[in-house]
Amino acid sequence: MAKVKSPVTAAVRVLRQAGVAYGEHPYQYEEKGGTAVSARELGVDERCIIKTLIMEDEAKNPLVVLMHGDRQVSTKELARVIGVKAVAPCTPETANRHSGYLVGGTSPFGTRKRMPVYLEESILELPLIYINGGSRGFLVSMPPAELVRVLQPVPVKVGI
């Protein structure tokens, strides 16, 4: 069986430049399959798959939220914690424009626009996380400390 070649994305370039030791995990992408599919394909707990969500506040300022694959974001709590009136998910088109990635392949590394990054703090307790590598059907794994070192996210408690 031929080895699947991993893509060299903007995210991969950022990780290489930062000297991050990461694993590459290509898998068979399924439209609207979400983290349940990637967890199944890679044989890992969905809690260890980290979603990269592009959201906006009421002034249309974009932000990135990193959340466990098996949890949702309380946008009301996030807005309260970061001191804005409201936070809502972007439309796929807007998310694509802000991040430079297609929804389903959004990585927090190498985004087109520099955006604040918020991280569900319980992610820091995991020994290894799997996060999008900048292409549909491609995750990268690393210890959460490496993500923190590169992105310097703000830890928050907004998972439900």
Side-chain angles (χ1 to χ4, degrees):
M1 188 164 115
K3 183 168 170 26
V4 178
K5 188 162 169 31
S6 298
V8 178
T9 63
V12 167
R13 286 187 203 92
V14 166
L15 294 172
R16 287 177 179 171
Q17 185 177 8
V20 175
Y22 64 93
E24 296 184 346
H25 306 277
Y27 66 95
Q28 186 61 48
Y29 177 78
E30 290 179 24
E31 192 71 37
K32 301 205 186 297
T35 56
V37 168
S38 51
R40 181 192 74 217
E41 291 293 309
L42 298 179
V44 299
D45 186 340
E46 190 176 3
R47 178 175 174 74
C48 298
I49 307 284
I50 308 305
K51 300 187 274 197
T52 303
L53 305 166
I54 308 296
M55 299 191 174
E56 290 179 326
D57 66 16
E58 75 279 359
K60 301 287 183 206
N61 296 313
L63 54 112
V64 176
V65 181
L66 302 177
M67 180 57 68
H68 295 283
D70 61 354
R71 299 190 67 195
Q72 302 299 314
V73 174
S74 167
T75 54
K76 202 175 261 187
E77 181 64 14
L78 180 61
R80 189 188 70 68
V81 167
I82 67 174
V84 298
K85 289 182 184 168
V87 172
C90 294
T91 65
E93 298 77 26
T94 302
N96 295 347
R97 197 172 61 249
H98 288 319
S99 70
Y101 295 112
L102 288 176
V103 169
T106 305
S107 178
F109 303 103
T111 56
R112 178 178 291 147
K113 288 184 179 177
R114 190 151 175 80
M115 298 176 271
V117 179
Y118 299 93
L119 169 81
E120 175 63 26
E121 71 177 25
S122 58
I123 290 169
L124 299 172
E125 299 164 7
L126 298 170
L128 191 67
I129 59 170
Y130 296 80
I131 193 159
N132 202 288
S135 180
R136 292 175 171 176
F138 177 58
L139 298 184
V140 293
S141 61
M142 67 189 70
E146 285 294 273
L147 179 140
V148 170
R149 180 174 69 82
V150 176
L151 295 177
Q152 300 173 338
V154 176
V156 292
K157 281 187 174 180
V158 296
I160 50 175

